[in-house]
Amino acid sequence: MSFTRIVSRLAGGLVFLSLFIGSANAQQDRRQNEAGKFNFYVLALSWSPSFCESRGERAPRQQCGSRPYSFVVHGLWPQYERGYPEYCQVPAPRLQREIMTSMLDIMPAPGLIYREWDKHGTCAGTSARTYFENVRKARAIVKIPEQFLDPKEYQTVSPDEVEEAFVKANPGLTREAIAVDCDRRHLREVRVCMTKELGFRNCAEIDRRACRRDKLVMPPVRGGS
């Protein structure tokens, strides 16, 4: 086969692939960022000591002061089976200060609460009050394993160990419904997939994006050694 024909066939294949990808993207775009049009939630639980240690002097005082926070809520994120919506109302409806302050016990940073409402909450298709009620309900459903409630010393863990501990502590939760997120050194988050009714459910894409490191550091809660 001549070089010219090879190049022609390759070019044709690339055009077909481009059209296929464009068609797939168009199918998602028809509901992209439409409030209430999503498949499931991800409850993201941030290991607060890792966040505070990584931020250093830039760490927010509300979260990284003397209070012994362990896992705190990062957010409750609407998801598609692939990808997710964001900023579904621009500008977002104003979040009442009273709702924000009511969430500080589990989301201990005002700026985080406002950002989560703007980026993710507006995609839930509910009022702000209902959305944050669901955040609290989702957090109450997930039981934190005892060894992670108030550790006083640095721990070295593997993602598998953390997932297994959550699975054992939460009947009905499977390894395919939870993922650990990390940076180069620290365990950053545990992400739990939940239905719109806040039951546990599997989520292949979230599971695929999980941390692949062998060992992670979990700093102790504030007041530890």
Side-chain angles (χ1 to χ4, degrees):
M1 183 181 295
S2 69
F3 177 76
T4 301
R5 292 186 66 185
I6 292 174
V7 171
S8 177
R9 288 194 176 187
L10 286 174
L14 289 173
V15 169
F16 175 80
L17 180 61
S18 176
L19 291 173
F20 176 80
I21 293 173
S23 176
N25 288 339
Q27 289 178 0
Q28 177 172 304
D29 287 346
R30 281 197 288 270
R31 64 169 189 171
Q32 183 71 37
N33 302 335
E34 289 187 41
K37 301 295 180 68
F38 64 97
N39 298 99
F40 65 99
Y41 285 114
V42 166
L43 176 67
L45 299 173
S46 173
W47 183 246
S48 184
S50 290
F51 170 77
C52 295
E53 185 170 290
S54 65
R55 295 297 294 270
E57 294 181 356
R58 297 178 292 112
R61 286 184 298 172
Q62 299 98 324
Q63 181 173 344
C64 301
S66 59
R67 288 194 63 178
Y69 290 112
S70 52
F71 277 108
V72 298
V73 174
H74 181 174
L76 184 66
W77 304 336
Q79 301 282 304
Y80 304 131
E81 296 299 341
R82 292 188 177 183
Y84 55 89
E86 60 182 356
Y87 299 108
C88 293
Q89 290 181 263
V90 180
R94 183 176 178 273
L95 180 62
Q96 297 177 16
R97 181 176 178 82
E98 172 256 327
I99 296 176
M100 181 276 290
T101 57
S102 74
M103 300 301 297
L104 287 172
D105 59 322
I106 62 172
M107 301 178 73
L112 168 66
I113 297 170
Y114 285 118
R115 286 193 302 273
E116 289 299 301
W117 166 243
D118 289 353
K119 184 174 183 179
H120 299 290
T122 57
C123 296
T126 67
S127 68
R129 189 173 300 278
T130 298
Y131 171 71
F132 283 105
E133 286 175 353
N134 285 335
V135 173
R136 188 172 292 279
K137 289 176 183 177
R139 171 61 188 86
I141 287 168
V142 178
K143 183 177 180 181
I144 305 300
E146 185 175 353
Q147 63 265 44
F148 302 142
L149 290 175
D150 190 26
K152 301 300 185 184
E153 297 179 347
Y154 280 82
Q155 299 184 62
T156 300
V157 298
S158 71
D160 281 347
E161 289 169 346
V162 175
E163 287 190 9
E164 188 61 28
F166 270 84
V167 167
K168 287 183 178 179
N170 292 274
L173 181 65
T174 68
R175 294 287 294 272
E176 291 73 32
I178 184 172
V180 170
D181 181 56
C182 64
D183 58 22
R184 293 182 179 180
R185 180 168 181 261
H186 296 100
L187 182 145
R188 293 200 308 184
E189 289 188 346
V190 169
R191 296 173 178 174
V192 179
C193 299
M194 309 182 82
T195 66
K196 290 184 175 182
E197 295 74 35
L198 304 181
F200 299 131
R201 63 99 82 186
N202 294 354
C203 47
E205 185 184 31
I206 304 301
D207 194 48
R208 280 196 300 269
R209 298 204 306 261
C211 176
R212 301 303 178 193
R213 293 189 175 275
D214 293 330
K215 293 294 181 181
L216 301 171
V217 172
M218 294 181 71
V221 299
R222 295 281 157 160
S225 58

